[in-house]
Amino acid sequence: MLDALLHLIAGFIPLTSLVLDGHFGNHNALHMARQANLHLISTLRYDAALYFPSTGPYAGRGPHRKYGDKVDYDDLPVQYLKDTTVEEHMQTCLYQMQMLHKEFTQPLNVVIIVKTNLRTQARAHVVLCSSDLALAYAPLVDSYGLRFQIEFNFRDAKQYWGLEDFMNVTPTGVTNAANLSLFMVNVAYCLRADGHPRDPDYSVLDLKADCRGYKYVEETIKMLPEKPEPILLAKILNQVAGLGRIHAAPPSFSFS
């Protein structure tokens, strides 16, 4: 599937990284990405057994020692701290270091995000990793964060535009259904962006209600012997088209 995608976008979008969720934070996925001349960005388990590279002297016999101390997520070395931010009572610390994992054949560029509740001292952390050892912590975190926008797009496609309702089993049918649903996500995003300056709460459900109501009004007007005056028509469209909305339409709002 990765080869097919790279072939499809070849020459249009230059790719350097493959961002996958935690299910693919393993050696096989990393090897797949490197075979495609891409760097993997993913997550590891919160308790992943990571080791610092050994820096001790050679014992004089046998192979050189590869693995040093195992990382302690509750006591991360301060020299690897890259950034600290505090928002209200939540503190976020970002650590970056090159680490070893016994299931990977190469060192990993690891970023550990630690969040601490300053009121309760409760802690939680996330472990990001990349095969690109030169990648700084900020673009690594940003790149992984962009993955969620893809998930949000699929969520909207399923929730609002019927992606999970299409009962297709053929490759062409599945492709058409997915393309149509995701295309409607983009269309809805553009239409909502136009309405947000005057109606900040405008949602996808409001948009669908407007479109449906506008169509009902349009078909009803066609049955009248005479078309209403433009001012009256605009008022009818604004009021009737917004009947099914979650958020009430502003008085001056008109979908047309």
Side-chain angles (χ1 to χ4, degrees), residues 71-76 123 125:
V71 67
D72 181 356
Y73 293 105
D74 292 326
D75 187 20
L76 296 170
R123 287 167 54 95
H125 67 268

Side-chain angles (χ1 to χ4, degrees), residues 102-157:
K102 292 184 177 180
E103 295 183 3
F104 290 82
T105 58
Q106 70 164 71
L108 297 175
N109 182 359
V110 174
V111 172
I112 302 175
I113 305 173
V114 180
K115 285 187 174 291
T116 304
N117 188 319
L118 299 177
R119 294 176 181 171
T120 63
Q121 295 304 307
R123 287 167 54 95
H125 67 268
V126 176
V127 184
L128 306 182
C129 70
S130 173
S131 58
D132 185 358
L133 301 181
L135 186 62
Y137 72 92
L140 196 159
V141 173
D142 289 343
S143 296
Y144 190 78
L146 290 173
R147 186 183 67 83
F148 290 99
Q149 184 59 56
I150 300 175
E151 292 194 1
F152 294 152
N153 288 344
F154 272 95
R155 178 203 62 186
D156 289 349

Side-chain angles (χ1 to χ4, degrees), residues 19-36:
V19 182
L20 300 173
D21 64 21
H23 180 74
F24 296 95
N26 53 61
H27 167 71
N28 292 333
L30 188 148
H31 182 65
M32 174 187 68
R34 296 306 297 141
Q35 280 188 321

Side-chain angles (χ1 to χ4, degrees), residues 206-233:
D206 296 329
L207 172 65
K208 294 180 71 173
D210 276 334
C211 292
R212 189 181 298 112
Y214 185 89
K215 182 64 176 178
Y216 292 162
V217 172
E218 190 178 53
E219 293 301 318
T220 302
I221 294 299
K222 290 180 181 179
M223 295 187 293
L224 296 178
E226 294 185 9
K227 195 172 182 178
E229 295 293 328
I231 296 178
L232 177 60
L233 179 58

Side-chain angles (χ1 to χ4, degrees), residues 44 128 164 189:
L44 299 174
L128 306 182
E164 63 182 359
Y189 180 85

